């Protein structure tokens, strides 16, 4: 799997590449003990987005979107992974498959394309 050295944790990063024609939207998602940062994302409908997942915590974590069966590897502290997604409809719940929905969860809003 590809590993990345990018690090960010703001919702605004989700909108950085949207609509500018420079490629897929890239969103950084940090995992710590025991939360996602950010835990609310917004991605464009029917457009490729790249999730840059990084474990900032002291224990292993994962990123999993159950409705799409899209999951990262179990990431050790400091590990990173890139996931590609083309969301059709939302909202999409994401969780840490290791610690469960009641401990680590978030949501992706899927926004309609502007015509």
């Amino acid at each position: 799997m590809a590993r990345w050295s990018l690090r960010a944790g703001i919702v605004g990063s989700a909108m950085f590449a949207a609509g500018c024609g420079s490629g897929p939207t890239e969103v950084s998602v940090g995992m710590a003990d025991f939360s996602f940062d950010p835990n609310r994302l917004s991605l464009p409908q029917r457009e490729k987005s790249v999730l840059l997942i990084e474990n900032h915590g002291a224990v292993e974590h994962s990123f999993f979107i159950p409705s799409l069966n899209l999951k990262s590897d179990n990431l050790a502290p400091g590990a990173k992974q890139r996931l590609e997604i083309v969301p059709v409809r939302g909202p999409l719940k994401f969780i840490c498959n290791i610690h469960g929905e009641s401990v680590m969860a978030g949501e992706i809003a899927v926004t309609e394309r502007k015509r």
Side-chain angles (χ1 to χ4, degrees), residues 23-43:
T25 299
E26 291 192 356
V27 181
S28 293
V29 179
M31 299 179 293
D33 306 327
F34 289 88
S35 63
F36 289 102
D37 182 25
N39 66 353
R40 300 270 185 244
L41 308 173
S42 180
L43 297 177

Side-chain angles (χ1 to χ4, degrees), residues 51 63-72 83-85:
L51 301 174
F63 182 93
F64 178 48
I65 302 174
S67 63
L68 301 178
N69 198 32
L70 177 67
K71 47 187 143 174
S72 72
L83 297 174
E84 293 182 358
I85 180 174

